[in-house]
Amino acid sequence: MESRSINQSYFRYVDWFTVVIYLVLIVAGVFSVYAASYDFDNASILDFEEFSGKQVRWIGCALALALMILLIDSRMFETYAYPIYIAVAAIMVVTIFVAPDIQGSRSWLVFGPVRFQSAEFGKFATALALAKLFSGYQFRLNDNPQNYMRALTIIFIPVILILAQKETGSALAYLALFFVLYREGMSGLVLSAAFCAVLFFVLAVKYSEVPFMGISLGEAMVFIIIMVIMVLMLAIYCRRLTVARNVAGWFAALSLIAGICHWWGYTLPGLPFFLAAIGVAALYCLAIGLHLSDKKIMLTVGAAAMSVVFLFSVNYAFTSVLQPHQQLRIKVTLGLEEDLLNAGYNVNQSKIAIGSGGVTGKGFLNGTQTKLKYVPEQHTDFIFCTIGEEEGFIGSSLVLLLFLAMILRILHIAERQPTVFGRVYAYCVASFLIFHIGVNIGMVIGLCPVIGIPLPFFSYGGSSLWSFTILLFILLRIDAARRGHLTY
């Protein structure tokens, strides 16, 4: 009788609102896969020879996994977090050597008719390990630089292993965990630096062919942004208004000189001009920072120097590090090339499909772009275009609202956790979901390069579905046991 009472109490504390959202999403996902793969042969949605039938089978296994997780003692996840992480990392290493080459990637382990992607299962293992690290006795991210190194090591080990499998998209998903570090005390300057790096990269690449003062317009724009950032950091971050005024005056004076020279028909050489402008300002700030022992001013100088170094590395990274097909995808996304028959074909057809859906859509199984197979991979990475065409703006908005409700609920669950382990793990789950949803839909509508990111609970395949199911239900199990007497 006592055990039965504990079980009843435990299930009463499961967050059933989140479970309902999960069930609605996976059911909607099955219908979307069926619509995307429908070919007018009147096959049943439960036909196990079709993609939709196989997805139903994956869902059945996922629900069994969810139930098993809910029956496990929640303390087991924290106790065995590191062993789970090491075991999954070992599987990733094995994958590099034994996985077959599928479209240039060695990321799928094949067992007869079944194959799975180890990178997907690394998500919950990394989330558990990161949560375990932060839950250590008196662990504070900002107390010791070694704490940063330990957290970054946990994040970057799977990233490196996945890159070795040549799965760039899956590796990028792990960088979403930087939002977790920010929640746990990491300076917002790091996220600002990441945003600036993306902005600098885009400007430098997009306007690389437009000449300006002997350099590209993109490089000139980045130099100007660096100047503005220096002034803003001195004024707002360092609270040194006098220093900020002097640096701004120096930049303004040089801009005036450049304008006068241009009016007289003489254009100053861009690279020496901008380097001299930023260099003199940096030396002035460095002298002030040393004199006042102001670390924030020193940080401003370091940020400016690193920004210039990053700018010089963009061209090398784009031409030498990225593969030709990756370069082409970025150029297509930035509008530098159309290539509607190759790299830009998927995105172009996807946008046509979504646009043709209008407000209310063409109706279930009535989409022409998807039924005539104009959109490649429409049942996997491009599943959202099927929703847009058949269900229109209203249906697409409802799907996005469901995802938003789940993310907000997870954040609510995170903030009510009594333990650091539960809170950090919950933010890891939210970060992975936000990244996957944002990047996948961005790919489909042409805002992001195509990097092979599935839409959670919708894209066909067992690896992604199982991975997010495990992520979510471990969180629900931890949350249900947030009261000490419910750790059954």
Side-chain angles (χ1 to χ4, degrees):
M1 292 295 292
E2 182 180 356
S3 176
R4 181 180 179 184
S5 176
I6 291 175
N7 281 319
Q8 289 177 344
S9 299
Y10 159 65
F11 279 102
R12 186 175 63 192
Y13 285 103
V14 171
D15 195 279
W16 291 109
F17 180 75
T18 305
V19 174
V20 170
I21 297 177
Y22 165 80
L23 293 175
V24 172
L25 286 173
I26 62 174
V27 170
V30 170
F31 282 98
S32 297
V33 170
Y34 179 63
S37 57
Y38 185 76
D39 57 4
F40 302 106
D41 62 358
N42 297 320
S44 168
I45 194 172
L46 298 178
D47 186 343
F48 293 123
E49 297 300 320
E50 302 294 330
F51 288 122
S52 58
K54 294 177 182 178
Q55 188 73 357
V56 171
R57 190 162 51 197
W58 299 132
I59 287 175
C61 295
L63 293 176
L65 278 172
L67 181 59
M68 290 172 58
I69 291 170
L70 291 178
L71 293 175
I72 294 175
D73 188 333
S74 63
R75 293 169 295 188
M76 299 286 285
F77 299 117
E78 184 171 1
T79 302
Y80 293 101
Y82 289 148
I84 291 172
Y85 178 80
I86 294 171
V88 174
I91 294 174
M92 289 185 181
V93 173
V94 172
T95 303
I96 298 172
F97 299 101
V98 305
D101 190 317
I102 301 176
Q103 297 181 351
S105 171
R106 292 184 175 273
S107 59
W108 293 89
L109 289 174
V110 179
F111 299 95
V114 179
R115 64 179 188 174
F116 71 91
Q117 195 172 19
S118 59
E120 290 292 336
F121 295 93
K123 292 184 175 70
F124 79 88
T126 305
L128 286 173
L130 201 61
K132 175 69 173 180
L133 174 68
F134 277 88
S135 64
Y137 180 68
Q138 291 187 341
F139 181 91
R140 296 291 184 275
L141 191 62
N142 296 321
D143 286 353
N144 192 327
Q146 291 183 353
N147 291 344
Y148 272 102
M149 294 304 299
R150 293 163 67 187
L152 293 177
T153 299
I154 289 175
I155 294 173
F156 278 104
I157 284 177
V159 170
I160 294 170
L161 294 177
I162 296 170
L163 288 176
Q165 300 172 5
K166 297 183 180 180
E167 272 289 334
T168 307
S170 298
L172 290 176
Y174 286 77
L175 300 183
L177 296 177
F178 274 82
F179 290 108
V180 181
L181 302 187
Y182 173 71
R183 169 61 181 82
E184 296 303 316
M186 184 182 72
S187 172
L189 290 177
V190 177
L191 292 182
S192 300
F195 172 80
C196 289
V198 174
L199 177 62
F200 294 169
F201 182 87
V202 170
L203 291 176
V205 172
K206 184 172 179 62
Y207 300 102
S208 59
E209 303 298 327
V210 182
F212 183 83
M213 294 178 66
I215 57 177
S216 71
L217 177 61
E219 292 173 330
M221 294 171 69
V222 172
F223 278 125
I224 293 172
I225 293 174
I226 293 173
M227 295 178 180
V228 173
I229 290 175
M230 284 187 68
V231 174
L232 291 177
M233 286 187 69
L234 290 169
I236 300 173
Y237 179 67
C238 304
R239 299 186 182 277
R240 299 289 180 181
L241 297 179
T242 301
V243 179
R245 181 196 61 196
N246 294 340
V247 171
W250 165 249
F251 289 148
L254 288 179
S255 300
L256 180 62
I257 293 172
I260 293 174
C261 291
H262 181 74
W263 182 63
W264 282 348
Y266 175 75
T267 301
L268 296 174
L271 188 59
F273 173 79
F274 285 113
L275 287 179
I278 295 176
V280 171
L283 289 174
Y284 167 72
C285 293
L286 183 63
I288 297 296
L290 290 173
H291 175 69
L292 300 176
S293 298
D294 193 327
K295 294 182 179 179
K296 290 185 176 181
I297 294 181
M298 306 291 285
L299 182 60
T300 301
V301 175
M306 292 301 297
S307 297
V308 173
V309 171
F310 177 81
L311 174 61
F312 288 145
S313 69
V314 167
N315 183 62
Y316 170 79
F318 186 75
T319 57
S320 302
V321 177
L322 296 179
Q323 299 295 321
H325 71 277
Q326 294 171 328
Q327 298 175 25
L328 185 57
R329 287 175 179 178
I330 291 175
K331 287 182 178 180
V332 169
T333 302
L334 296 179
L336 298 176
E337 294 188 22
E338 287 191 351
D339 194 27
L340 298 181
L341 298 179
N342 294 296
Y345 179 80
N346 287 27
V347 175
N348 183 60
Q349 293 298 326
S350 174
K351 290 193 288 186
I352 292 174
I354 294 175
S356 66
V359 176
T360 58
K362 297 178 179 178
F364 184 61
L365 302 181
N366 290 326
T368 54
Q369 290 293 114
T370 53
K371 296 302 163 296
L372 297 176
K373 312 301 181 186
Y374 284 114
V375 185
E377 308 298 332
Q378 60 190 13
H379 63 292
T380 55
D381 296 343
F382 282 79
I383 190 73
F384 191 74
C385 73
T386 302
I387 302 170
E389 182 179 23
E390 297 192 348
E391 311 306 327
F393 176 79
I394 295 176
S396 301
S397 298
L398 288 175
V399 170
L400 293 178
L401 287 174
L402 282 171
F403 277 125
L404 178 61
M406 174 174 280
I407 291 170
L408 292 177
R409 190 64 181 180
I410 291 173
L411 294 177
H412 173 71
I413 291 173
E415 291 301 327
R416 74 186 183 191
Q417 295 306 302
T419 64
V420 175
F421 180 85
R423 183 181 72 239
V424 172
Y425 182 82
Y427 272 97
C428 289
V429 177
S431 297
F432 279 127
L433 278 172
I434 292 170
F435 181 88
H436 269 261
I437 295 166
V439 172
N440 178 273
I441 295 177
M443 288 188 333
V444 173
I445 62 178
L447 294 180
C448 298
V450 179
I451 57 175
I453 292 289
L455 184 63
F457 311 121
F458 275 82
S459 294
Y460 169 78
S463 295
S464 174
L465 176 63
W466 290 3
S467 170
F468 280 103
T469 298
I470 294 171
L471 267 171
L472 182 63
F473 278 86
I474 288 177
L475 172 61
L476 295 179
R477 180 63 186 93
I478 294 171
D479 178 61
R482 65 187 182 276
R483 300 185 182 182
H485 66 284
L486 292 177
T487 53
Y488 162 75

